[in-house]
Amino acid sequence: MSVDTSNVILEVEDLHTYFFNRGSTVKAVDGVSFFLRQGETLGIVGESGCGKTMTALSLLRLVPQPAGKIVSGAIRLNGDDLLQKSDDEMRQIRGRQISMILQDPQTSLNPVFTIGNQLMEALGMARKEARKNMLTRAVDALRNVNVAAPERRLEDFPHQMSGGMKQRVVGAIALSCEPGVIIADEPTTALDVTIQLQYLRLLKDIQAETGLAVIFITHDFGVVARMCDRVAVMYAGRVVENGPVREIFNEPSHPYTRALIDSVPKLEERTERLYSIEGQPPLLSNLPEGCRFADRCEFVRDRCLAEYPNSYTVSEGHTADCWRMDESW
């Protein structure tokens, strides 16, 4: 990927993460490339099972073992390839340089330990400090995500908190060691609409104060429009379109991107039936030779079925993997 690296903090190049099962290979991430600049928010969108979360886990080298394996590619964080780091080196990088807000706070927090225990465990792994200093840092971490009475909340167990409060605690743990990059994996899925808005505004405020670079994984194009500067659209393990949010919303180039946007209900329009994408994504263990969206695409031609399309430059910073971009179409 040829990009201006002057302020790029994270660059992913041709990443492949596979799961090896008896008699089959599941290509969960199959040639993903993107970059993230300092202070920028990149949205990753796509249907369930397209490889969004597995891409995020690959960045942290947390792919489930023993079946999962990062087969090839490069993940450069501040110029260092994380795939060349040892396990001990990665433990020092996680939390300090790159961290992750997991999808479900109910399963992210250990129910038998207090919030304070779990916050100080994260702080203790990143740096060795006196317990008094760690307590102060834990209180500050909760205060930074707008948790009321943080000193008292350190003694609470997860079941004593609401879903929105637990999501804030998960965010506090991820942010406690002041990483430069944070991955938010559908952090608003378990929250109601009002709390979602508060949480998104909180993330924006923290990013503005600290200069965080954020990867925001979501199904919701409304969240993408509110939160993100650029968006990468994933389908069947590949990024099929990548570019500035405004440009992709106004002029989507890949038929799958257009279909996703058309699937969002529009309050200003009256319709008897909402738009839906026909068919199902291909099995990641049995991917077609050609375009992976071909079976569901209204523009499909023989070339689409025979060969995976090149990545075409639509405009500066905007690419799409679709034969319709070719001059010979």
Side-chain angles (χ1 to χ4, degrees), residues 194-205:
T194 304
I195 302 301
Q196 278 186 23
L197 183 60
Q198 294 175 4
Y199 193 77
L200 294 176
R201 188 179 294 123
L202 173 64
L203 285 178
K204 269 292 188 187
D205 290 343

Side-chain angles (χ1 to χ4, degrees), residues 125-186:
M125 292 182 69
R127 63 185 75 186
K128 303 299 180 184
E129 294 186 72
R131 179 176 174 81
K132 183 178 180 180
N133 292 339
M134 288 176 60
L135 276 170
T136 301
R137 287 173 56 82
V139 170
D140 289 341
L142 291 181
R143 186 176 288 117
N144 289 339
V145 294
N146 295 342
V147 172
E151 296 86 354
R152 182 171 60 82
R153 286 297 192 181
L154 287 178
E155 303 301 320
D156 286 352
F157 288 88
H159 73 270
Q160 295 175 277
M161 293 183 158
S162 67
M165 197 62 70
K166 279 185 277 196
Q167 189 67 69
R168 289 172 187 262
V169 170
V170 170
I173 292 172
L175 293 164
S176 61
C177 299
E178 301 176 355
V181 177
I182 194 158
I183 304 166
D185 186 6
E186 301 190 43

Side-chain angles (χ1 to χ4, degrees), residues 36 42 50 85 101 103 107 115 122 126 132 160 178 243 297 312:
L36 181 67
L42 171 69
C50 71
K85 301 292 184 182
I101 301 174
Q103 184 171 351
T107 57
I115 298 304
K132 183 178 180 180
Q160 295 175 277
E178 301 176 355
C297 181
Y312 291 93

Side-chain angles (χ1 to χ4, degrees), residues 199-263:
Y199 193 77
L200 294 176
R201 188 179 294 123
L202 173 64
L203 285 178
K204 269 292 188 187
D205 290 343
I206 291 172
Q207 184 181 29
E209 292 174 7
T210 62
L212 266 176
V214 179
I215 295 175
F216 206 98
I217 297 173
T218 182
H219 291 95
D220 191 338
F221 263 101
V223 171
V224 170
R226 174 179 289 274
M227 294 292 294
C228 301
D229 303 300
R230 292 185 300 107
V231 60
V233 181
M234 285 194 71
Y235 186 78
R238 297 290 297 260
V239 173
V240 296
E241 188 164 5
N242 190 345
V245 167
R246 185 183 297 273
E247 188 170 332
I248 285 183
F249 267 77
N250 292 337
E251 296 182 18
S253 296
H254 197 283
Y256 178 60
T257 307
R258 185 180 299 276
L260 283 179
I261 294 173
D262 288 344
S263 299

